Amino acid sequence: MTDRSRISEELAGRLGRLPWITFHTRIVLAVGAVWALAGLAANAVAAVGLAPVRDPAWMGGAAGAFLLGEAVGVLGGGAAARRWGRRRMLWGAVAVFVAANAVPAVLPGGVLPGTGPPGSMLAGLVAYVAVRFAAGVAGGAEYAAVLDAVAELIPRARRTPVLLAVNGLYWLGGLLGAAAQFALAQPGAVPGMTGWRAGLLVAPVLGLLLAGACGLVPESPSWLVRAGRTRQAAAIVDTAECDARAAGHTIGRAPASRAAAPGEAGAGEGVLATLGAMVRAERLVTVRAVVLCASQGGAYGAVVFTLVAVVTGVYRVGDAAAPAYAVAFAAANLVGAVVLGRLLDPGGQGLPFAVAHMWVGGPLALAGVLLARGVGSAWLTTLLLCLAFLIAAPSTVMLVADAAAHYPEPLRRPAARVLSAVVRLGGVPGPLLFGALLAERSRGAVSLGFVAAAVSVVVAGLVAVALRTPAVDDVPESPFEAAPHPGPYVRPAAPARPRGPDAPWSFPAPPSRARRDDADR
């Protein structure tokens, strides 16, 4: 082991054993603000529907380009952070995010049919799809920064709960973005400017105002060590430990670790190499995770970016009222992300995720059947979609946590990036399919899209049942949540089920598992 690897391991162990302090609160606020803005921007565009292009096929193409860009951003952002550092990558992603989300609001009127010659209109449509791809790349890179910051800087026992909280902030931003579109879409709300264009400017303006939040995220200590800046890396950890002591905590000596340092694992490996390592390590877990992530991404892609287009194109809801349906959908996802996340058990046998997928499939199929029979209304369809995705919102994060809990320590962070990209790639066909179906202007055609989405998630749930694997029984309990009151924190000398210092997706054991562990002992 080289000196740099040893130093990285030592610093990772010291960060992973810290109690919760203001150092971590600042990090969560910073990455939460970045990811909430991403949710605001994405849902502000989704709440517009067909307004920018007036063509369902082009709308689906723009949404598919955005999701493809997110997949590229997640993978490319991780590689950029390993090469140039997390802070530089995050600053660059925010700059592209602001520019790409502002451009559609100021694109010339040639984007709209009938406002210019055919060549100009086509150029505007292509430009719109291109900037949506760039916005997706920026959003995916921001998520890669969120994953790496949480995995490296947050205490081990709090990492998955923090990711759930950040996911909830994403949907809070989505709720605000849809609400802004609804408010600005009202006649006369923005004199001299089309309402949806003003709504698209909300996220870039807030991005400029909150760009300073990126400065609250420390640079990656492991990257600093690899770059030969060991003193700066140690200073970050020393500052965090000083804050903990100032808060009254006692910092004990961490035991020697033999796990790979964060940031070293997967460095220099490509996507195919990482996927191959995942298959060799846990073949059934990898197949199950890929199937579940892709199907869930497909369902989200089919609904999030086309809901407003469905209520306007199928149910003839006016443009001013349509964003209200996106507000309701974002609110349901927010409630699910905040309330239902702990029902899903990372490291278990996969059955809860199978149940979650079948839950999603039921209301989706019912919405398709009612639509085909001409029964119901826009609000009934939206209500069914809200029920479907109530459990899907936290499942997106917990699917990655579940798979990562089964992999060896060095593989967890690159595997998390690959699976997060799979979710985005799985979502690409959804808006493309619904865009083509909406172009048919037939309820029966659109209902087939809902039924197809339902079948895909139910089949994925059945695959999860068929590929059940033994549960991971070394998920540690959290001393922070179990403590009856704040007090000095001393690292236990001999934890009952030790894990390495870089366990990015650890989670407090559910009561049922805690009872099983006590019985084993």
Side-chain angles (χ1 to χ4, degrees), residues 202-457:
V202 173
V205 170
L206 289 177
L208 288 174
L209 295 176
L210 299 178
C214 298
L216 298 177
V217 182
E219 184 54 271
S220 166
S222 61
W223 179 82
L224 290 171
V225 171
R226 294 198 304 274
R229 298 156 62 179
T230 304
R231 290 186 178 180
Q232 295 183 35
I236 294 173
V237 183
D238 291 341
T239 300
E241 290 185 338
C242 287
D243 288 349
R245 293 189 180 96
H249 299 285
T250 301
I251 306 299
R253 297 290 297 176
S257 171
R258 289 173 289 186
E264 294 284 348
E269 291 185 356
V271 178
L272 294 180
T274 299
L275 190 58
M278 293 164 60
V279 172
R280 289 191 297 272
E282 293 287 350
R283 179 171 57 85
L284 294 182
V285 170
T286 302
V287 173
R288 183 181 70 198
V290 168
V291 170
L292 290 176
C293 288
S295 66
Q296 180 136 320
Y300 259 114
V303 173
V304 172
F305 296 97
T306 62
L307 173 60
V308 172
V310 168
V311 299
T312 55
V314 175
Y315 292 105
R316 308 303 179 189
V317 175
D319 290 341
Y325 298 85
V327 172
F329 184 76
N333 280 268
L334 174 60
V335 171
V338 172
V339 176
L340 301 179
R342 293 188 64 115
L343 297 179
L344 301 170
D345 180 15
Q349 295 184 344
L351 186 58
F353 294 97
V355 173
H357 273 63
M358 294 177 185
W359 173 292
V360 173
L364 273 176
L366 181 58
V369 170
L370 293 179
L371 183 60
R373 292 182 172 273
V375 179
S377 63
W379 276 116
L380 178 59
T381 299
T382 303
L383 176 61
L384 290 173
L385 297 180
C386 289
L387 290 175
F389 287 88
L390 194 66
I391 192 65
S395 178
T396 304
V397 172
M398 302 302 278
L399 278 172
V400 179
D402 170 66
H406 291 80
Y407 293 124
E409 299 281 352
L411 192 55
R412 290 180 176 179
R413 287 175 66 185
R417 284 191 290 269
V418 169
L419 292 176
S420 297
V422 169
V423 174
R424 275 77 181 174
L425 289 174
V428 171
L432 297 177
L433 172 64
F434 267 77
L437 295 176
L438 284 167
E440 298 292 329
R441 303 184 183 277
S442 166
R443 287 194 175 200
V446 176
S447 69
L448 288 177
F450 285 122
V451 173
V455 170
S456 68
V457 291

Side-chain angles (χ1 to χ4, degrees), residues 66-153:
F66 176 81
L67 291 169
L68 179 61
E70 277 199 328
V72 172
V74 169
L75 298 174
R82 291 195 301 272
R83 182 169 183 178
W84 294 301
R86 182 167 53 231
R87 295 189 76 178
R88 291 181 185 176
M89 186 273 288
L90 184 57
W91 280 109
V94 170
V96 176
F97 168 86
V98 170
N101 283 285
V103 166
V106 296
L107 278 174
V111 185
L112 301 176
T115 59
S120 174
M121 190 177 71
L122 179 62
L125 290 169
V126 172
Y128 181 73
V129 173
V131 295
R132 292 308 298 153
F133 176 80
V137 171
E142 288 173 349
Y143 191 62
V146 170
L147 286 176
D148 280 355
V150 171
E152 185 174 12
L153 301 173

